[in-house]
Amino acid sequence: MKRFLLYIVFILFSLSGSTQLINFPLNENWTFTEAGKNSWKPAIVPGNIHRDLLKNNLIADPTVGENYKSAQWVEKKDWEYNNTFIYPDLAKFKNVELIFDGLDTYADVFLNDSLILRAENMFLQYT
């Protein structure tokens, strides 16, 4: 199962000759869908799939009564999260790093359709 949860993503910029650190949080404008489907809905990052499904009225609140029973299908599915961002000055930097501080246990991360990371431990920071 390849579900993932992105808390905050930062971009670090390193200039030739000197190092400059710029935090560029990517926690806005996220969407999600069940893997293989094209039904993108708004997502909240940081967050989790149950919260996103609840916010989009796709499940009943699993913390109320026995609603959790009707939401057990969620963990059996794979989920995709998507974000588009533009940072126009990237070309002037020598190094650019993405830092992930909260990927859910199993996650494949793509940037511009290229696989850049395979995560298998939610307790590690990935760069």
Side-chain angles (χ1 to χ4, degrees), residues 15 43 47 63 70-71 75 88 95-96 106 115 120 124:
L15 296 171
T63 65
S70 65
E75 64 192 49
N95 298 314
V96 178
Y106 299 105
L115 179 66
E120 295 182 358
L124 296 178

Side-chain angles (χ1 to χ4, degrees), residues 107-125:
D108 290 341
V109 179
F110 291 82
L111 180 64
N112 296 336
D113 297 322
S114 295
L115 179 66
I116 61 169
L117 171 65
R118 261 209 168 119
E120 295 182 358
N121 187 328
M122 69 184 297
F123 300 107
L124 296 178
Q125 181 185 71

Side-chain angles (χ1 to χ4, degrees), residues 73-90:
W73 63 271
V74 173
E75 64 192 49
K76 294 177 176 70
K77 301 289 183 177
D78 291 339
W79 300 95
E80 298 176 355
Y81 280 74
N82 183 45
N83 190 344
T84 301
F85 62 93
I86 298 171
Y87 198 88
D89 297 331
L90 287 179

Side-chain angles (χ1 to χ4, degrees), residues 30 32 41-62 81:
W30 285 92
F32 79 99
K41 305 279 187 214
I44 299 171
V45 173
N48 62 58
I49 188 60
H50 286 90
R51 185 167 103 177
D52 291 331
L53 291 167
L54 179 60
K55 183 162 178 60
N56 286 278
N57 298 313
L58 299 172
I59 62 170
D61 188 342
Y81 280 74

